[in-house]
Amino acid sequence: MSKEEIIAILRHKRHDWMNQIQLIQGYASMGKMDKLQMQLNRISQESEQERRLLNSGAYEFSVWLLTFNWNQEQYRLVYSIHENVDLPRHDQKVTAYAKRLLTLLDEFSIKDELYEGSVQVYQGINSGQFGISWEWKGTFSDPERLNRKLEEEGFIAYCEEDELSVEMKIE
């Protein structure tokens, strides 16, 4: 990664933190302590997930996830990393699968639709296995064909009109 790319990431991160601080200041100045507490809890939870991601040792996947919302216009993604998942060993494979999934989603996305997503990385039943579960809200064109295409690529998928679930098992 170049120095310029590192600086760009730090700028985006700083911008995100400033937005969070402005929200906190706004809630505090209006005396909305319930909203202030909710925002602080949300920041705390996001920071914990970010810590887990950054400490995972999966550098390529971490950078991809951390920069996802900055690089995508049509998608917003939150993530959850469970403890003790062996990501580093499969870093490039997981990143390639994630990028491929996004490419397939792009084929079926509808212009001007915003897709809200969440991804969970969790430990599988066996110690050498883990799973990645994606949930997307938003309307995709031809959901049946999207579902077939995802399954042809090795994903476990279920697509309805405005909801898509995709599961990946990594060994």
Side-chain angles (χ1 to χ4, degrees), residues 3-24:
K3 292 175 187 174
E4 290 81 10
E5 290 170 315
I6 292 169
I7 294 298
I9 289 172
L10 290 172
R11 279 189 187 133
H12 278 289
K13 200 64 191 155
R14 182 195 162 284
H15 182 272
D16 288 350
W17 275 111
M18 290 305 297
N19 285 344
Q20 298 288 355
I21 290 168
Q22 287 174 343
L23 275 173
I24 289 168

Side-chain angles (χ1 to χ4, degrees), residues 17-70:
W17 275 111
M18 290 305 297
N19 285 344
Q20 298 288 355
I21 290 168
Q22 287 174 343
L23 275 173
I24 289 168
Q25 287 174 328
Y27 290 142
S29 70
M30 293 185 291
K32 295 189 174 193
M33 293 316 205
D34 57 331
K35 291 205 179 232
L36 174 66
Q37 189 59 48
M38 284 175 42
Q39 186 65 22
L40 288 171
N41 289 340
R42 191 172 137 249
I43 291 169
S44 178
Q45 290 169 358
E46 287 176 10
S47 295
E48 173 60 20
Q49 292 306 316
E50 190 172 275
R51 180 193 67 76
R52 289 181 185 181
L53 180 65
L54 293 173
N55 289 339
S56 73
Y59 302 117
E60 192 174 334
F61 187 61
S62 294
V63 169
W64 185 82
L65 265 182
L66 285 172
T67 60
F68 183 89
N69 290 334
W70 307 328

Side-chain angles (χ1 to χ4, degrees), residues 135-167:
E135 300 291 329
W136 292 99
K137 298 242 186 261
T139 305
F140 291 96
S141 65
D142 201 350
E144 289 177 17
R145 194 164 145 252
L146 171 58
N147 199 55
R148 278 194 312 274
K149 196 137 185 176
L150 286 166
E151 289 179 353
E152 287 170 6
E153 295 277 337
F155 296 100
I156 302 165
Y158 176 74
C159 187
E160 286 186 334
E161 210 169 285
D162 63 347
E163 196 170 298
L164 171 65
S165 296
V166 179
E167 193 78 21

Side-chain angles (χ1 to χ4, degrees), residues 97-152:
Y97 273 125
K99 289 178 179 179
R100 181 64 185 143
L101 173 62
L102 194 64
T103 300
L104 290 169
L105 295 183
D106 281 343
E107 289 181 34
F108 294 90
S109 66
I110 296 171
K111 187 180 181 206
D112 297 328
E113 178 88 16
L114 179 63
Y115 297 94
E116 301 274 340
S118 66
V119 60
Q120 277 193 52
V121 180
Y122 59 91
Q123 183 62 47
I125 296 170
N126 303 328
S127 63
Q129 178 189 57
F130 66 92
I132 303 177
S133 177
W134 304 82
E135 300 291 329
W136 292 99
K137 298 242 186 261
T139 305
F140 291 96
S141 65
D142 201 350
E144 289 177 17
R145 194 164 145 252
L146 171 58
N147 199 55
R148 278 194 312 274
K149 196 137 185 176
L150 286 166
E151 289 179 353
E152 287 170 6

